[in-house]
Amino acid sequence: MSRVFGRALAVLPAELGGSAPGPLHTLLSALASASSRQEEESLVRKELSIIHQQLNTANFNPDVASECLVRLIYCATLGYPIGFCTIHALTLAQRGSSWHKRLGYLACCLLLHENHELLLLLVNTLMKDLQSGGPLEMGMALMVAGQLTPPHAVSSIMPIVIDKLAHSREFVRQKAVAALTFLTFRSCSDKSLDNENSDNCHPSNSYQRDVFLRAFGDRDPSVMAASLPALLHLAKRDPDWCRTLVPALVGVLRQVIEGRLHGDFSFHGVPSPWLQIDLLRLFSLLGKGDHGTSQQIYEVLGECMERARSKQMSAWAVLSECIRTLSVLPPHLELWTRASDFVGEMLQSSNANLQYMGVRCLADMARVEPGTVLCHRPSVMCALEQPDPAIRRRTLELLCRVVGQENVEAVCGHLLSALRDTQDPYEARSLASRTLDLAYRFSPNSEWLVGIVTEVLSMREEIIPPDEPGRFLWLLVKEEEESAESLKFHALQALMASSTAISSRTSQPLLRAITWVLGEISHVQPDLSPADISSRLSRILVPPASRQGSHARASSLSIPIETQAWLLTGLSKVLSRQANELGNASLITEQIREESKDGGQDVEMTREAGGGGEGGSFARKDTDHFLEKAEIFSKVDDQIKNMNASQKNQTSSSPEVIEIKVNGSQAGLSSEECNESGMGERVDIMGTSDVDQDKVCLDKYETEAGKSEISKEDSGTRQIKLPLPTLDLLSDDPCIQQLIDELRRLWASPSLFATVLPASPGCQTPLVDPSLPFLDGFVAEAMRKGAAPYIPPQLRQLDKQGSSYDAREIQVSGAFSESVGHGTSPTSTAGNSWAQEAGSDASADVPQPATRVWGPEGRTRCPSPARPTATTSLPTPLSGSESGSRPSSVLGAVSHEESREREKDEEIQEGRKKLAAALFAGVGNIQEHGSLSRTNRDLSPASESTKDVSSHTALALSTEEFGKLWTSAIHETRFAVSPPDAPGLPNHLPVAPGKAWLLDFAIQALSAVGFHNVATAGQELLFAAQDTKTGAPLLLHCIVLLTGDIQLCARAKAPRLVQPMALSVQRALSSPPWPALNQKS
Amino acid sequence: MMQFMLLFSRQGKLRLQKWYFAIYEREKKKIVRELVAIILARKPKMSSFLEWRDLKIVYKRYASLYFCCAVATQDNELLTLEIVHRYVELLDKYFGSVCELDIIFNFEKAYFIWMSFLLGGELQETSKKDVLKAIEQADQLQEDNETATRNVLEEMGLT
């Protein structure tokens, strides 16, 4: 407490002249004399308990209550919890009168927030005061209503507030407008409201617009000014409508700047700066990218700038807002020059605030025309060296706007040095992401880029953008042509260098980047052996110092599980390369063995390799025979040389030696000392090449194995020690344990390793068959034991609805899959649905255009280029005129043609609007069970009555249009159908490639129910139809799988359209094959 | 739009606070502590603006009091500074050359003034006269002893 304050308090009682000091004063003086924080705390606690007592007495005395609340607010300001008293604030607002009520409301505003549970009790008080109070009470109630109306009470308060717009007192009207703005725009952003409610208060509702327009046209300037925030909100949501107001707004601004409002409204000689700035902000919203509107604005904007020339700070505020508005409008040369002059004035001012604003305005201008900065270069350089960090930061932002290929290095240098200096994590985060953005966009060469990225990645972990290192690694993958090679090379170099200096402080993103780069692209540097890399990786995973130590576990656990997983994955990549080399080698020996068999020689295996582990197995062969086949051996020799560049001195011609070398090098790759011993042994082997080779070699190998800790297992698999720490050194996390276990098992049999993880030189994603056929046996087994067939959730939903044919549908498909079960692919339905489940889960997060799909042969390209462009016309859905409740397919088709003719003109407009709406409305919406079930209920009677007539008609589309519609329709259902077997074809045949009859079948069956076949590509079919009622397009994507199933994805713009379509498709495809097909087959 | 307003002394004691969004008490305290430390550490020659988290802080010192407002980034900083100035002028006019003590003893009045010209975080453009008129009108309703306190403080001439 200040000295002055203490003295004043001492004087205070005397000044009050006898009258006893109030309780607040007593509290204040007691607190002022408190010497420590503890003392203050005990004082406050005592005070709070007294207040609590006083407030809880039975008879309510408004004087006492007000006094208590004032003290409570003070305690709250000091930071003490006063939750118990909030109810008394409400009571005072309710039961007090005039002054007490005002204090009660104030306490409510300060102590409650809009989500407080007690607010319900305030609603009645508010409504009473709004309806029957005097103007003062009304004003208070309106002030509070704007802030504290609970969301569910908005609809009941709103009409009363709207009534107040017609009140005779202007301050009531003004407060009503402010409250209404708050209620309207807060409640509409509030997702917790149900639909009904938000429809009522939706601002695009014309009634709401009228209300705010009426306020805007109020005769009192303060009411008019209060309506501008609401107009700003409306302009953001519906600029087209607001543009009609521009002439009126221009008129208002002109009146203001010409000083035609009352003198009371000017602030230090600047007429209504707040009003001016609100108007300017409206202009920037409305004139953005609109030449017509901007033409109306330029003149008044120029005048506004001219009149704002004054030394007053508020004038500068208006001026800076003018400049910012100008930088958003289409450029106007004359105004631009003047704005640039003003900016120069601000930059050169001695006032730091003006300098700051100058830099900010210049940044706005630089976004449009970077050249503007050149005129102010000296000032900008000055600003960059300012002691004030806020100005420096703004200047850096400005520089980021003018970055190009030439200056990117300089700017990034500045950003990096600012990044090193700053302590504020928020600022650091934004600087880091900005630096990386610029580096990615403008990097002059890959070496520099890699340098910047590694520098940022090596900083504190919390400032690194969350998409790193993914973004950088993605760049390494996707970059093509020759720049990729140099990028990869530099990345490898830089990260290899960082990998030598890893400590516990190394940031996780950097660690992950190192892991990935070493695992994935280390092949770009041929002199790096996989063994070196795997040893590096395992050293990161468990630092060597802690390998034997008792604290080993702790040190390795300091690496987060996610990074451990990265490391293990990286390790598995490197090991798979090793295993592949080994696998190749064994393949070659296999070949040799085959040849030797052909030659009538008998081949003897010393060891039987378990689980296909030929790499570790030994074939004992007759040496003489192999000497005859020298040319094959030299071939083998070359291959092995290629694989193991490190073993340059390879000259042997004996397969045993080759094998040993491979294995020896393998062991060597695992650990250094092993490698050395391997080399030593090899010399021996060479020396003894003329004696009984196979024996010697085998013995030698075994000694070597013993030396280099190569373990032999009882199963007969010769296992080379995995460069992995033991399990107990790593996390208990099951995922990590699983990864290690998998790695161990795979390592035990290199050929299996090579099959599971084939060596891929690039970063190719392995191909996966989405039908997961390997699970078929497992599922068949389960079903044979009585497990129920899998039903996708969508169909389960329908089942619950109990619509009669739905149930039958499921029975049919279930029975069918069982019947197939005796044949070839018993569980195809189940297996597929399972895969689709996973697929639809993934796609629920990110609705992706279906440009690429998984086909049975791996990844196939969908023929429809699904590129969302809003410019071309789309076929207009049928209007409601001909959509009857009893649609006949013929009539539907005819009238569809007619309507296309009739509505050709509207088509373009409509299509654009629809597509735009669809593109932006509810992106990422996932079908909710609630809405689904509701729509199903609505639809089921209709579908019942039209059992045999489909509810949609064909829609002729081009493939391109299909693609556009596909991306714009986001509600989808995935399911699979097992079509019945074609008569005449044997049951076990469906796996035949092509499945031409199935394609034909799908086309015919779906055409029969009103689908138009848009395109066919390979095993994929695209269909389109339209809903007969609404004309909305319905889209269908089919893939005929090798298993004989048809995988389907149905899409529409509205969720209620998807289910009926899916049902009819499923019905069509599950029914017995088309008669025409019968004849065909 | 205004996010919150803090008024604290040079010693870092919070005098007034007004939040325009729902926030936990614990979080409030943390923010206040952080901002008070940042602002008190700044040198007088520096600008009145700060970028803090995703907000912009505009502060100004009047005698022993710091007025600090947090606004959204797209708001006009200079104008926010003028809001503060206007508030100080109103306080000055109401209390008659205001000082820290006026605000300590009559903080509820200071709140009334703040809230009557800044509704829901948006400044209400009214003539200065109207704001004071409304406050004084309300004051008429007040009990005598309250007015007496004010008079005493005025007499004390604590400037």
Side-chain angles (χ1 to χ4, degrees), chain A residues 246-279:
Chain A
V246 169
L249 293 168
V250 168
V252 170
L253 184 56
R254 199 173 295 266
Q255 283 186 32
V256 172
I257 55 178
E258 285 169 4
R260 282 198 255 155
L261 295 188
H262 192 271
D264 268 351
F265 284 97
S266 60
F267 184 72
H268 294 280
V270 181
S272 305
W274 285 274
L275 182 53
Q276 285 196 46
I277 284 177
D278 277 345
L279 286 168

Side-chain angles (χ1 to χ4, degrees), chain A residues 5 25 70 79 99 102 143 147 174 222 264 267-268 274-275 317 321 324 353 356 360 388 394, chain B residues 18 29 42 47-49 51 56 73-74 76-77 82 89 101 105 107 112 119 125-127 129 138:
Chain A
F5 182 43
H25 290 166
V70 169
W99 156 252
R102 192 172 155 217
M143 201 169 83
Q147 277 180 48
Q174 184 198 23
S222 60
D264 268 351
F267 184 72
H268 294 280
W274 285 274
L275 182 53
E321 199 64 39
R324 286 168 66 183
N353 291 344
Y356 179 93
R360 199 175 161 183
D388 185 352
R394 274 279 136 210
Chain B
K18 177 78 188 113
K29 273 196 214 171
R42 280 174 67 91
S47 67
S48 301
F49 314 125
E51 268 151 74
K56 193 156 282 176
T73 27
Q74 72 272 15
N76 193 312
E77 296 91 337
E82 293 305 285
E89 281 182 9
L101 277 184
F105 284 105
F107 62 86
F112 284 137
L119 278 186
E125 180 94 48
T126 34
S127 62
K129 228 164 53 192

Side-chain angles (χ1 to χ4, degrees), chain A residues 99-113:
Chain A
W99 156 252
H100 298 301
K101 186 180 275 294
R102 192 172 155 217
L103 196 75
Y105 275 137
L106 175 73
C108 289
C109 283
L110 292 175
L111 305 176
L112 303 179
H113 55 83

Side-chain angles (χ1 to χ4, degrees), chain A residues 464-480:
Chain A
I464 299 170
D467 56 349
E468 289 297 339
R471 199 172 159 195
F472 175 59
L473 302 182
W474 177 238
L475 195 71
L476 291 178
V477 178
K478 97 179 164 168
E479 196 82 1
E480 280 156 20

Side-chain angles (χ1 to χ4, degrees), chain A residues 683-699:
Chain A
V683 177
D684 283 351
I685 293 163
M686 308 285 274
T688 56
S689 57
D690 51 341
V691 288
D692 191 6
Q693 280 202 357
D694 54 333
K695 267 231 145 43
V696 173
C697 289
L698 186 58
D699 290 344

Side-chain angles (χ1 to χ4, degrees), chain A residues 1 5 8-9 12 15-16 24-25 28 40 63 70 73-74 76-77 79 98-100 102-103 106 109-110 113 136 143 147 169 174-175 178 182 222 225-226 264-265 267-268 272 274-275 277 281 313-314 316-317 320-321 324 352-353 356-357 360 387-390 393-394 426, chain B residues 1 11 13-18 22 29 42 45-51 53 56 73-79 81-83 85-86 89 101 104-105 107-109 111-112 115-116 119-120 122-129 135 137-139 141-143 146 149 152-153 156 158:
Chain A
M1 205 67 36
F5 182 43
L9 279 173
L12 202 60
E15 289 285 333
L16 284 166
L24 177 65
H25 290 166
L28 285 174
E40 182 195 289
D63 283 331
V70 169
I73 296 173
Y74 190 81
T77 312
S98 55
W99 156 252
H100 298 301
R102 192 172 155 217
L103 196 75
L106 175 73
C109 283
L110 292 175
H113 55 83
L136 223 53
M143 201 169 83
Q147 277 180 48
R169 299 287 293 271
Q174 184 198 23
K175 286 190 162 66
F182 205 79
S222 60
D264 268 351
F265 284 97
F267 184 72
H268 294 280
S272 305
W274 285 274
L275 182 53
I277 284 177
R281 287 179 63 188
M313 213 38 102
S314 44
W316 283 114
S320 61
E321 199 64 39
R324 286 168 66 183
N353 291 344
Y356 179 93
M357 280 314 270
R360 199 175 161 183
D388 185 352
R393 190 169 160 190
R394 274 279 136 210
Y426 284 85
Chain B
M1 188 179 145
Q11 287 79 30
K13 285 236 187 261
L14 192 62
R15 296 294 177 214
L16 300 182
Q17 57 174 341
K18 177 78 188 113
K29 273 196 214 171
R42 280 174 67 91
K45 278 279 176 190
M46 289 182 175
S47 67
S48 301
F49 314 125
L50 265 180
E51 268 151 74
R53 301 201 184 169
K56 193 156 282 176
T73 27
Q74 72 272 15
D75 285 339
N76 193 312
E77 296 91 337
L78 283 177
L79 197 72
L81 210 53
E82 293 305 285
I83 293 180
H85 192 64
R86 182 163 185 183
E89 281 182 9
L101 277 184
I104 294 169
F105 284 105
F107 62 86
E108 77 276 14
K109 300 273 170 43
Y111 275 128
F112 284 137
M115 281 157 74
S116 61
L119 278 186
E122 299 279 2
L123 183 122
Q124 298 305 310
E125 180 94 48
T126 34
S127 62
K128 209 190 281 180
K129 228 164 53 192
I135 304 282
Q137 209 173 8
D139 278 354
L141 308 160
Q142 204 180 331
E143 268 77 7
E146 295 285 337
T149 318
V152 165
L153 280 167
M156 279 165 66
L158 291 171

